[in-house]
Amino acid sequence: FLELMSTGLPIISTKHCDIPFAVNEENGLLANERDVDTLAKHLETINNSEVLKNKSIAARKTVVEKFSWSVLKPIYHQTILA
């Protein structure tokens, strides 16, 4: 999902595993696992052009600020050499 977010696509997903580590209410929409009603509501919510625009900008920003190579490289470097 990070690849999709890097293009500015907000994610609609569940709070499964580590997804909430990257996806939050600012850059996407999350529902509890197996909560089909909330997922359906999220699809309706994201259909609003203003919501889509704001979440798209936030999705791209999240990847650039938290998951880009320039951010992760020093962490990987330190971890491997430690």
Side-chain angles (χ1 to χ4, degrees), residues 11-23:
I11 304 298
I12 297 174
S13 185
T14 63
K15 297 176 184 175
H16 177 76
C17 201
D18 63 347
I19 293 171
F21 180 68
V23 181

PDB file of all heavy atoms in Angstrom, residues 11-23:
ATOM      1  N   ILE A  11      -5.670   5.227   1.091  1.00  0.00           N
ATOM      2  CA  ILE A  11      -5.981   3.820   1.292  1.00  0.00           C
ATOM      3  C   ILE A  11      -7.212   3.660   2.173  1.00  0.00           C
ATOM      4  O   ILE A  11      -7.354   4.333   3.184  1.00  0.00           O
ATOM      5  CB  ILE A  11      -4.789   3.104   1.963  1.00  0.00           C
ATOM      6  CG1 ILE A  11      -3.513   3.281   1.141  1.00  0.00           C
ATOM      7  CG2 ILE A  11      -5.097   1.633   2.220  1.00  0.00           C
ATOM      8  CD1 ILE A  11      -3.548   2.714  -0.248  1.00  0.00           C
ATOM      9  N   ILE A  12      -8.079   2.765   1.776  1.00  0.00           N
ATOM     10  CA  ILE A  12      -9.200   2.338   2.614  1.00  0.00           C
ATOM     11  C   ILE A  12      -8.889   0.894   2.995  1.00  0.00           C
ATOM     12  O   ILE A  12      -8.733   0.041   2.121  1.00  0.00           O
ATOM     13  CB  ILE A  12     -10.540   2.417   1.868  1.00  0.00           C
ATOM     14  CG1 ILE A  12     -10.835   3.864   1.483  1.00  0.00           C
ATOM     15  CG2 ILE A  12     -11.662   1.846   2.725  1.00  0.00           C
ATOM     16  CD1 ILE A  12     -12.059   4.028   0.611  1.00  0.00           C
ATOM     17  N   SER A  13      -8.763   0.652   4.283  1.00  0.00           N
ATOM     18  CA  SER A  13      -8.360  -0.678   4.726  1.00  0.00           C
ATOM     19  C   SER A  13      -8.874  -0.949   6.134  1.00  0.00           C
ATOM     20  O   SER A  13      -9.618  -0.156   6.698  1.00  0.00           O
ATOM     21  CB  SER A  13      -6.831  -0.780   4.698  1.00  0.00           C
ATOM     22  OG  SER A  13      -6.412  -2.096   5.002  1.00  0.00           O
ATOM     23  N   THR A  14      -8.422  -2.077   6.668  1.00  0.00           N
ATOM     24  CA  THR A  14      -8.760  -2.418   8.044  1.00  0.00           C
ATOM     25  C   THR A  14      -7.549  -2.163   8.941  1.00  0.00           C
ATOM     26  O   THR A  14      -6.439  -1.925   8.457  1.00  0.00           O
ATOM     27  CB  THR A  14      -9.162  -3.899   8.166  1.00  0.00           C
ATOM     28  OG1 THR A  14      -8.042  -4.711   7.815  1.00  0.00           O
ATOM     29  CG2 THR A  14     -10.360  -4.211   7.291  1.00  0.00           C
ATOM     30  N   LYS A  15      -7.777  -2.248  10.216  1.00  0.00           N
ATOM     31  CA  LYS A  15      -6.716  -2.028  11.204  1.00  0.00           C
ATOM     32  C   LYS A  15      -5.926  -3.311  11.459  1.00  0.00           C
ATOM     33  O   LYS A  15      -5.457  -3.557  12.557  1.00  0.00           O
ATOM     34  CB  LYS A  15      -7.333  -1.520  12.510  1.00  0.00           C
ATOM     35  CG  LYS A  15      -8.017  -0.184  12.354  1.00  0.00           C
ATOM     36  CD  LYS A  15      -8.703   0.243  13.632  1.00  0.00           C
ATOM     37  CE  LYS A  15      -9.456   1.546  13.416  1.00  0.00           C
ATOM     38  NZ  LYS A  15     -10.227   1.932  14.600  1.00  0.00           N
ATOM     39  N   HIS A  16      -5.756  -4.102  10.428  1.00  0.00           N
ATOM     40  CA  HIS A  16      -5.060  -5.378  10.539  1.00  0.00           C
ATOM     41  C   HIS A  16      -3.553  -5.172  10.616  1.00  0.00           C
ATOM     42  O   HIS A  16      -2.986  -4.337   9.915  1.00  0.00           O
ATOM     43  CB  HIS A  16      -5.400  -6.249   9.332  1.00  0.00           C
ATOM     44  CG  HIS A  16      -4.688  -7.560   9.317  1.00  0.00           C
ATOM     45  ND1 HIS A  16      -5.061  -8.609  10.125  1.00  0.00           N
ATOM     46  CD2 HIS A  16      -3.617  -7.977   8.608  1.00  0.00           C
ATOM     47  CE1 HIS A  16      -4.249  -9.624   9.909  1.00  0.00           C
ATOM     48  NE2 HIS A  16      -3.366  -9.275   8.986  1.00  0.00           N
ATOM     49  N   CYS A  17      -2.915  -5.941  11.477  1.00  0.00           N
ATOM     50  CA  CYS A  17      -1.465  -6.046  11.570  1.00  0.00           C
ATOM     51  C   CYS A  17      -0.799  -4.669  11.673  1.00  0.00           C
ATOM     52  O   CYS A  17      -1.105  -3.902  12.573  1.00  0.00           O
ATOM     53  CB  CYS A  17      -0.952  -6.847  10.384  1.00  0.00           C
ATOM     54  SG  CYS A  17       0.675  -7.556  10.631  1.00  0.00           S
ATOM     55  N   ASP A  18       0.096  -4.345  10.756  1.00  0.00           N
ATOM     56  CA  ASP A  18       0.832  -3.085  10.848  1.00  0.00           C
ATOM     57  C   ASP A  18       0.310  -2.009   9.904  1.00  0.00           C
ATOM     58  O   ASP A  18       0.954  -0.979   9.726  1.00  0.00           O
ATOM     59  CB  ASP A  18       2.320  -3.327  10.614  1.00  0.00           C
ATOM     60  CG  ASP A  18       2.627  -3.845   9.227  1.00  0.00           C
ATOM     61  OD1 ASP A  18       1.681  -4.249   8.521  1.00  0.00           O
ATOM     62  OD2 ASP A  18       3.805  -3.854   8.842  1.00  0.00           O
ATOM     63  N   ILE A  19      -0.840  -2.210   9.302  1.00  0.00           N
ATOM     64  CA  ILE A  19      -1.402  -1.208   8.394  1.00  0.00           C
ATOM     65  C   ILE A  19      -1.563   0.149   9.079  1.00  0.00           C
ATOM     66  O   ILE A  19      -1.179   1.173   8.497  1.00  0.00           O
ATOM     67  CB  ILE A  19      -2.730  -1.703   7.774  1.00  0.00           C
ATOM     68  CG1 ILE A  19      -2.448  -2.885   6.851  1.00  0.00           C
ATOM     69  CG2 ILE A  19      -3.456  -0.580   7.033  1.00  0.00           C
ATOM     70  CD1 ILE A  19      -3.673  -3.606   6.352  1.00  0.00           C
ATOM     71  N   PRO A  20      -2.062   0.228  10.311  1.00  0.00           N
ATOM     72  CA  PRO A  20      -2.194   1.532  10.956  1.00  0.00           C
ATOM     73  C   PRO A  20      -0.856   2.248  11.222  1.00  0.00           C
ATOM     74  O   PRO A  20      -0.838   3.424  11.544  1.00  0.00           O
ATOM     75  CB  PRO A  20      -2.895   1.222  12.280  1.00  0.00           C
ATOM     76  CG  PRO A  20      -3.622  -0.046  12.032  1.00  0.00           C
ATOM     77  CD  PRO A  20      -2.726  -0.822  11.104  1.00  0.00           C
ATOM     78  N   PHE A  21       0.251   1.528  11.062  1.00  0.00           N
ATOM     79  CA  PHE A  21       1.562   2.160  11.195  1.00  0.00           C
ATOM     80  C   PHE A  21       1.770   3.211  10.102  1.00  0.00           C
ATOM     81  O   PHE A  21       2.449   4.208  10.311  1.00  0.00           O
ATOM     82  CB  PHE A  21       2.659   1.090  11.126  1.00  0.00           C
ATOM     83  CG  PHE A  21       4.052   1.611  11.259  1.00  0.00           C
ATOM     84  CD1 PHE A  21       4.499   2.137  12.462  1.00  0.00           C
ATOM     85  CD2 PHE A  21       4.920   1.586  10.184  1.00  0.00           C
ATOM     86  CE1 PHE A  21       5.789   2.623  12.586  1.00  0.00           C
ATOM     87  CE2 PHE A  21       6.212   2.064  10.293  1.00  0.00           C
ATOM     88  CZ  PHE A  21       6.643   2.587  11.508  1.00  0.00           C
ATOM     89  N   ALA A  22       1.151   2.995   8.944  1.00  0.00           N
ATOM     90  CA  ALA A  22       1.292   3.923   7.823  1.00  0.00           C
ATOM     91  C   ALA A  22      -0.008   4.638   7.480  1.00  0.00           C
ATOM     92  O   ALA A  22       0.000   5.807   7.113  1.00  0.00           O
ATOM     93  CB  ALA A  22       1.801   3.185   6.588  1.00  0.00           C
ATOM     94  N   VAL A  23      -1.113   3.926   7.580  1.00  0.00           N
ATOM     95  CA  VAL A  23      -2.408   4.498   7.197  1.00  0.00           C
ATOM     96  C   VAL A  23      -3.129   4.970   8.447  1.00  0.00           C
ATOM     97  O   VAL A  23      -3.217   4.254   9.440  1.00  0.00           O
ATOM     98  CB  VAL A  23      -3.272   3.452   6.456  1.00  0.00           C
ATOM     99  CG1 VAL A  23      -4.604   4.053   6.050  1.00  0.00           C
ATOM    100  CG2 VAL A  23      -2.536   2.908   5.244  1.00  0.00           C
TER     101      VAL A  23
END
